[in-house]
Amino acid sequence: MPKSFDELTFSDDWMFQKVMQNPAICAELVARLLHINVDHVEYPELEKTIAPYYQSKGVRLDVYLKDSNKVIDIECQSNLKPALGKRTRYYQSMIDIDSLMKGEEYEKLKESYILFICKNDPFKDEQENHFGLPCYTFRNVCSENGAVNLDDKTIKVIYNASAYEREEDENLRSDYLAVNLHDHDIRYEALQEGEQIGAQKKALETATNMIRKKYPISDISEITGLPPEKVLELQEQITV
């Protein structure tokens, strides 16, 4: 059964999309969770689809944003999906294809981040016990010498919200409370927006009925609260 509006949280698709529509919030989230500076944000594309070839498997990214030298994909996982590692690998490849124009040199590839926010721990050991880290960061380093970095400018970061209490970054822990408060603000704003849309729809329905019954424009405007010019516009649409 679908959740009621009051039950929605940041991890629900609708709420996540609503919050991420604000570039300033995207930039702040990225700065806090990835510990990087974002000089500006090109307006985030929500549910961006990348399908470079007709027969290849495309991907739909939750939130895809850029600044002058970075591309960042943000995914929110309420329910763990299989093959998370291979999923991030494929997402990375699609982002690279989408980022580099034909004929451009590899040096033009931007620094790339894939950020997954998971409600539950996606990683287990051979005994099926969760590792329990609040955050998992993956970079390509040499197995023989960990000081040698491939320097391919790709980083994958996966947050495990179920281990929130183990997070040592106090700023990040306090941000969790801020996010919860912001969820409440977003819900309130969306509710207000919904009420306004409902009231506007009701006013238009009432005005339409009154126009058909030949009420004066001034009476319709006073009763519905619609400006006279809007009533006239509606009248023209009905009589056409």
Side-chain angles (χ1 to χ4, degrees):
M1 173 177 272
K3 288 183 178 180
S4 68
F5 187 82
D6 288 338
E7 293 176 317
L8 292 176
T9 66
F10 180 72
S11 61
D12 290 295
D13 287 343
W14 186 90
M15 185 63 69
F16 181 71
Q17 298 288 335
K18 188 72 176 177
V19 173
M20 292 295 103
Q21 284 176 359
N22 187 319
I25 294 176
C26 278
E28 183 69 15
L29 182 73
V30 166
R32 298 288 182 166
L33 296 184
L34 296 180
H35 307 292
I36 59 175
N37 293 321
V38 179
D39 53 30
H40 76 284
V41 172
E42 296 180 19
Y43 198 84
E45 297 182 54
L46 305 179
E47 296 190 340
K48 176 181 174 66
T49 299
I50 302 176
Y53 307 110
Y54 175 72
Q55 292 182 325
S56 67
K57 179 179 176 64
V59 297
R60 189 175 69 177
L61 309 177
D62 283 355
V63 178
Y64 183 68
L65 58 143
K66 307 175 183 179
D67 75 352
S68 57
N69 59 2
K70 305 180 192 70
V71 290
I72 303 162
D73 168 38
I74 306 174
E75 304 288 325
C76 191
Q77 300 270 293
S78 296
N79 300 308
L80 291 178
K81 296 178 181 178
L84 179 62
K86 291 182 178 179
R87 183 180 297 271
T88 63
R89 168 183 163 184
Y90 196 72
Y91 283 16
Q92 180 66 66
S93 65
M94 292 294 101
I95 289 172
D96 287 343
I97 290 173
D98 187 62
S99 299
L100 198 65
M101 300 296 291
K102 184 177 181 180
E104 285 188 319
E105 298 296 330
Y106 293 119
E107 288 81 2
K108 295 288 186 180
L109 278 172
K110 293 185 176 183
E111 195 170 7
S112 173
Y113 293 82
I114 295 180
L115 170 62
F116 271 73
I117 303 172
C118 301
K119 290 185 69 174
N120 300 300
D121 193 341
F123 298 109
K124 299 179 182 178
D125 62 19
E126 294 179 355
Q127 285 73 43
E128 293 295 304
N129 297 314
H130 291 287
F131 286 100
L133 296 178
C135 179
Y136 301 88
T137 302
F138 299 92
R139 293 180 173 87
N140 288 326
V141 298
C142 178
S143 296
E144 288 75 16
N145 185 340
V148 181
N149 193 315
L150 188 60
D151 198 30
D152 58 355
K153 303 300 183 184
T154 65
I155 299 176
K156 302 172 182 69
V157 179
I158 300 172
Y159 273 88
N160 165 28
S162 67
Y164 158 74
E165 71 283 353
R166 299 184 184 180
E167 177 56 57
E168 296 180 357
D169 186 334
E170 290 299 325
N171 289 329
L172 192 56
R173 288 172 62 86
S174 63
D175 285 343
Y176 177 81
L177 297 177
V179 167
N180 281 341
L181 290 174
H182 186 73
D183 283 354
H184 179 271
D185 292 341
I186 290 292
R187 282 198 296 270
Y188 178 76
E189 291 172 7
L191 182 60
Q192 293 292 101
E193 180 182 332
E195 290 176 349
Q196 291 173 5
I197 292 173
Q200 179 78 358
K201 182 178 179 181
K202 183 64 176 178
L204 291 173
E205 290 175 352
T206 301
T208 300
N209 291 333
M210 294 181 73
I211 289 170
R212 287 173 176 158
K213 293 179 180 179
K214 310 299 183 183
Y215 279 80
I217 298 295
S218 58
D219 290 353
I220 298 173
S221 178
E222 182 178 354
I223 291 172
T224 62
L226 296 173
E229 57 270 23
K230 181 63 179 179
V231 178
L232 283 171
E233 179 185 334
L234 188 60
Q235 185 181 53
E236 291 174 0
Q237 293 174 359
I238 293 173
T239 55
V240 169

